[in-house]
Amino acid sequence: MAPFFDESRIDSDEALAALDSRQTLRGLATAGAQVREAVDLSAEGSIERVGGGERPRSVLVASLGGSAVVCDVLELLAEPGSPVPVSVRRNLPLPGWVGPLDLVIAVSLSGRAPGPLALAAEAARRGASLLTVGAVDSPLADVAAQARGVHIGVGRGRSTSRTALWSLLAPVLLGAGRLGIVDVDDRVLAETADRLDEIAESCRPSSESFVNPAKVLAADLAEGVPVVLGDGPLNGVAAARATSMLARTARVPATSGELPDDAAQVVACFDGPFTAAYSGGSAGSSGGGRGDDDDIFTDPFLDGPAAPRLSLLMLRDVLPDRMTREADEARSLAETVASAARDVGVRVSEVTAQPGHPLTRLAGQIATTDFAATYLALGLGLDPAVSPHVADLRGRAG
């Protein structure tokens, strides 16, 4: 049985204020401002000194938890044309090849995350160049100072990495851009900040459910078990971020994939127990794509509650000005998957990127799904920032 999603909660200022104890919606709405502030803080922190101003032999980036997407975005943007390899590491050991010719980027909002902190310390011991991003007065900042690296602080009021993503990501991209590893500069970041402001405006709490894209998406996602599928590498990163936000913020289990590689494993689920096609091996199944849950004569009190259904969220990129064969094949595959989903009663939602630089397009996709996950939590009556089980886990681990 699907959880109860109350749309009146997400349209009520009083309900939102009562549930959103740490102002998660407000934090997400500051994304554009975070980018602009990060550019200023990067200049103050002498971002031009990254790597000694010289291109490194390789780049290794470390971030985890709510900051994990920083690694994914840098890897995505570097892949098409970076003159040096970019790799990702979440924790020790630091690869043996890292040495004085390499750059290690470590990101942690608090500056105390064990994995990035340990990797930065080991990189410093080996004489590698360091770029760290996090709290100013923190162990991570101390490591960078001792190694004569560059540390970029984050703005005040950044309480969680889930809502401070752009305070962490912008300096990393700006530093990588200065080294020619990614095609990102102040102009691209300004464009991205504007896009984030546009999403924040359209997804603002005062916008009614029927016109607010994030609220509409939240209501759709509440009706099933979400599968988030990106139509390529860019939206694959956005899909992974969306599943993380759905789990951590809305407490909804979700899985993600990227076309074309994950098409088969997603479509295989359309035969399973969370769609109308599932017969459970019963001899009486009609095999026509309708399951018992669609039977108008089913009595939920006698027959039990209906099983939850899959819902498919397709994250789509804008069509290129000139359609290549690869782009046309990707578009066709996405349409085929969506059509197959609808045939077995899977609710299909789509979020399509608006034109712009790859970072700007990605920012719009991430912002929309971040807001949707938060509205989903609030519509379910949950505080998006406070999980008793996570607090208990931390207490036991500590």
Side-chain angles (χ1 to χ4, degrees), residues 7-234:
E7 288 191 20
S8 68
R9 288 194 187 108
I10 59 176
D11 282 334
S12 165
D13 291 341
E14 293 76 14
L16 291 177
L19 285 169
D20 194 4
S21 67
R22 298 186 183 175
Q23 297 186 312
T24 301
L25 288 172
R26 182 181 178 86
L28 294 176
T30 67
Q34 289 177 35
V35 173
R36 298 182 185 95
E37 182 182 38
V39 170
D40 292 340
L41 290 173
S42 295
E44 293 173 11
S46 302
I47 193 73
E48 71 278 358
R49 291 198 301 107
V50 168
E54 298 181 0
R55 184 175 295 160
R57 178 181 61 181
S58 69
V59 177
L60 182 143
V61 56
S63 63
L64 46 76
S67 308
V69 71
V70 172
C71 292
D72 301 333
V73 175
L74 181 60
E75 198 173 31
L76 169 77
L77 296 179
E79 197 170 62
S82 174
V84 302
V86 175
S87 58
V88 171
R89 201 78 171 188
R90 310 294 185 189
N91 211 328
L92 289 174
L94 185 69
W97 49 261
V98 174
L101 299 179
D102 305 300
L103 170 66
V104 172
I105 301 173
V107 178
S108 166
L109 183 66
S110 67
R112 291 175 168 79
L117 181 58
L119 286 166
E122 176 61 16
R125 189 186 70 79
R126 297 188 196 176
S129 298
L130 274 184
L131 168 60
T132 58
V133 182
V136 174
D137 298 317
S138 68
L140 188 62
D142 292 342
V143 168
Q146 292 166 12
R148 297 184 180 178
V150 175
H151 181 79
I152 307 300
V154 294
R156 295 180 180 178
R158 308 288 186 252
S159 59
T160 169
S161 55
R162 281 177 288 146
T163 58
L165 168 61
W166 294 96
S167 292
L168 301 170
L169 178 56
V172 171
L173 296 180
L174 198 56
R178 295 291 176 92
L179 296 173
I181 295 166
V182 297
D183 177 25
V184 174
D185 55 18
D186 290 14
R187 180 192 60 79
V188 171
L189 287 172
E191 175 188 315
T192 300
D194 290 343
R195 179 65 53 83
L196 290 166
D197 286 345
E198 291 169 7
I199 300 297
E201 174 64 20
S202 64
C203 297
R204 66 190 186 280
S206 60
S207 175
E208 298 290 342
S209 292
F210 58 89
V211 295
N212 185 316
K215 291 182 180 181
V216 170
L217 183 56
D220 287 348
L221 293 173
E223 296 192 12
V225 179
V227 175
V228 188
L229 188 59
D231 67 354
L234 185 145

Side-chain angles (χ1 to χ4, degrees), residues 3 19 21 24 162 226 242-254 373-374 376-378 380-390:
L19 285 169
S21 67
T24 301
R162 281 177 288 146
T243 55
S244 174
M245 287 292 287
L246 286 168
R248 187 66 177 82
T249 302
R251 270 75 99 186
V252 171
T374 304
L376 178 55
L378 294 164
L380 295 173
L382 300 170
D383 186 328
V386 179
S387 167
H389 283 89
V390 171

Side-chain angles (χ1 to χ4, degrees), residues 276-302:
Y278 180 67
S279 66
S282 64
S285 171
S286 65
R290 289 182 63 84
D292 292 340
D293 294 344
D294 295 314
D295 188 346
I296 62 173
F297 298 109
T298 297
D299 187 329
F301 295 99
L302 297 177

